[in-house]
Amino acid sequence: REGLHSAAILEYEKAFRKAGNISPQIQNKLAMSYIMDTQYAKAEEILKVALEYYPEYTTTYISLGELYQRKGEYDTAIEILSQANHINPFNPIIHKNLAQLYQKLDRKEDAAAELQRLRAGHHLAHLFQRAHLGFVHVDHHRFDDRLAPPARCPSAAKPPAPGSLQAHSSLESRARLQAHTSLDKTRFLDQIEF
């Protein structure tokens, strides 16, 4: 294993020298390789620079949380992961890692709450994915904006032109589907404690 981490470090260092600070993905992969090789100071330095350039990139917070957890700095790891949770409350890795940290600190209620959020997040992600794909009707105006599904990917297929035969049949089948699968998300979310 040691040779694998060293090889990964060499390759990611080459990539980092070429890319510099323009790629938080390369910075995180290099930092995680350093973490796996117990070169914590180097990992921390790279991750802190990545946060300066990309403060909304939650993977960097997750990597920092991993670093502090391995160093035994559980409270710092929880603080970092909580910041990531404010940026992206639907990332399951954040909730899984927080639950593990709370368990290590014997904070059973907090760990249980994070596991609940993890399960709820999986269910919501599935629900939003289905809604985004048009399988379930969701009234987005009845929710907090943070819970709305992501905007369509720019590369996604464009909807049919209004008035076209394809648009008419698509709307008709969607209306039929909505009548059978309409879901009141507020009622669903009221059952979940965040």
Side-chain angles (χ1 to χ4, degrees):
R1 273 188 157 192
E2 199 171 303
L4 292 176
H5 299 307
S6 299
I9 288 170
L10 287 174
E11 293 305 315
Y12 286 129
E13 283 176 340
K14 286 181 198 175
F16 180 68
R17 280 192 295 276
K18 286 183 181 181
N21 292 323
I22 65 166
S23 174
Q25 295 89 352
I26 292 173
Q27 290 170 300
N28 274 271
K29 291 197 181 273
L30 176 57
M32 286 306 296
S33 296
Y34 283 142
I35 290 169
M36 300 302 280
D37 202 42
T38 66
Q39 296 183 45
Y40 298 139
K42 286 183 177 182
E44 187 171 19
E45 180 182 333
I46 287 192
L47 292 170
K48 287 187 175 183
V49 169
L51 276 182
E52 287 176 26
Y53 283 89
Y54 304 96
E56 299 292 314
Y57 191 66
T58 56
T59 303
T60 304
Y61 293 91
I62 293 168
S63 298
L64 264 174
E66 175 76 20
L67 168 72
Y68 292 126
Q69 180 176 354
R70 285 176 180 249
K71 289 172 65 175
E73 298 176 24
Y74 301 137
D75 290 327
T76 306
I78 288 170
E79 182 181 318
I80 292 290
L81 289 170
S82 295
Q83 291 174 21
N85 190 45
H86 286 293
I87 296 168
N88 183 0
F90 297 109
N91 188 321
I93 297 169
I94 295 168
H95 297 292
K96 178 183 75 72
N97 291 356
L98 281 169
Q100 290 173 346
L101 286 162
Y102 288 136
Q103 286 174 342
K104 286 182 182 202
L105 294 173
D106 202 30
R107 292 171 55 181
K108 293 177 179 154
E109 288 180 17
D110 291 328
E114 287 303 327
L115 290 173
Q116 169 106 15
R117 288 183 187 103
L118 178 63
R119 284 189 294 275
H122 280 301
H123 190 77
L124 283 173
H126 178 71
L127 176 68
F128 287 145
Q129 181 181 25
R130 289 177 49 88
H132 179 65
L133 296 173
F135 294 123
V136 177
H137 169 69
V138 178
D139 182 3
H140 299 297
H141 301 290
R142 298 182 69 182
F143 292 98
D144 182 9
D145 289 338
R146 293 179 315 140
L147 301 177
R152 282 213 178 266
C153 175
S155 64
K158 293 186 180 190
S164 70
L165 181 59
Q166 184 183 7
H168 176 71
S169 64
S170 173
L171 288 173
E172 187 177 284
S173 57
R174 180 171 280 181
R176 248 183 300 163
L177 184 63
Q178 288 173 354
H180 294 296
T181 60
S182 182
L183 177 64
D184 182 355
K185 283 188 353 187
T186 49
R187 187 180 59 213
F188 171 74
L189 290 174
D190 286 342
Q191 297 172 5
I192 300 172
E193 293 181 19
F194 287 97

